Amino acid sequence: MRLRLTPRDVTFFDLFATLAAHLVTGADLLAQIVGAEPADRSVLADRLRDAEHDADDATHSIMKRLNQTFVTPFDRDDIYVLSSALDDCMDFMEAAGAMIVLYAVEDLPEGVNDQVATLQRAAELTADAMPRLRTMEGLEEYWIEINRLENEGDRAYRGLTAALFSHPVYQESPAGVVEMLKLKGVVDSLEDAADSFERVANTVETIFLKES
């Protein structure tokens, strides 16, 4: 690690850890929405929206601190990119949960469960990694595993998308096409969330390389 002669504001590490903890809550609520009966999903979606607001507040705290701090723990641009990517993870998860409720989706394809399970694991890994930014120790396994999960999620996404477009039920009538498009919106948002988790991991790797 490089020797620093000026003090750093280490509050950022706690703020990143707080933001990442909200992602774990969000991913767990999303899993509950997917597994719940349609009538029970609205309440869970409201809780997910509250978690998204909490994540927004944490992101705003990071941005406010960034504007008030002269010497940051690492590159200012990287702090901005990391906080934005973390916030995107929550935004896309919340969007998926909201669409399931707003579109009145009843039956979700089995592949959606796989997507959400991947997001839960990614959220747990991310929450575990954020405190380690303070020492930059034990981070390599984190971004390697996140990249592996994202590749796994990509395969699931492609298979799920192909199944939606080829399933005869969704091609028999205009109503079937509409239902397919609803499901495609949910699946796309879940994939966007997975991509955002990978963006977080890639940013952490960039920070690590700069600080090493």
Side-chain angles (χ1 to χ4, degrees):
M1 301 297 289
R2 294 182 308 193
L3 177 65
R4 294 183 181 273
L5 301 178
T6 53
R8 302 182 299 166
D9 186 341
V10 297
T11 306
F12 286 101
F13 301 120
D14 295 331
L15 293 173
F16 280 125
T18 298
L19 177 51
H22 292 311
L23 302 186
V24 175
T25 300
D28 288 346
L29 285 168
L30 182 58
Q32 291 178 49
I33 291 172
V34 170
E37 295 295 325
D40 299 327
R41 287 172 174 163
S42 180
V43 173
L44 293 168
D46 288 343
R47 290 173 58 191
L48 178 53
R49 185 171 60 251
D50 290 340
E52 191 272 334
H53 290 162
D54 291 338
D56 279 343
D57 289 342
T59 303
H60 293 155
S61 294
I62 293 172
M63 296 304 180
K64 182 179 179 180
R65 194 76 180 186
L66 187 60
N67 290 331
Q68 295 173 340
T69 304
F70 181 69
V71 180
T72 56
F74 41 84
D75 188 276
R76 303 179 72 87
D77 288 341
D78 289 333
I79 291 175
Y80 176 81
V81 171
L82 181 57
S83 59
S84 296
L86 288 165
D87 191 49
D88 285 344
C89 294
M90 179 63 89
D91 287 344
F92 287 123
M93 289 193 294
E94 192 277 331
M99 280 188 281
I100 291 171
V101 173
L102 292 174
Y103 293 169
V105 175
E106 293 192 3
D107 297 320
L108 290 160
E110 182 62 32
V112 169
N113 291 323
D114 296 333
Q115 282 187 297
V116 174
T118 297
L119 295 179
Q120 285 181 286
R121 180 58 180 154
E124 291 168 358
L125 289 168
T126 302
D128 182 64
M130 288 302 105
R132 296 204 298 273
L133 287 171
R134 187 184 297 269
T135 61
M136 296 291 170
E137 295 179 357
L139 287 170
E140 185 174 1
E141 291 182 358
Y142 154 68
W143 68 67
I144 289 174
E145 179 61 10
I146 289 290
N147 287 330
R148 187 194 69 79
L149 285 172
E150 203 280 331
N151 289 334
E152 185 180 281
D154 277 346
R155 290 192 293 272
Y157 170 72
R158 289 192 294 267
L160 188 49
T161 300
L164 287 176
F165 281 119
S166 62
H167 201 295
V169 170
Y170 302 131
Q171 301 178 25
E172 291 175 349
S173 66
V177 173
V178 171
E179 187 66 19
M180 184 270 289
L181 292 175
K182 290 178 181 179
L183 293 173
K184 183 63 165 53
V186 174
V187 169
D188 285 348
S189 191
L190 294 174
E191 173 65 8
D192 288 338
D195 288 342
S196 294
F197 275 110
E198 185 180 40
R199 183 175 168 225
V200 171
N202 290 342
T203 303
V204 169
E205 182 178 9
T206 296
I207 293 169
F208 175 84
L209 294 174
K210 286 181 179 180
E211 296 297 307
S212 299

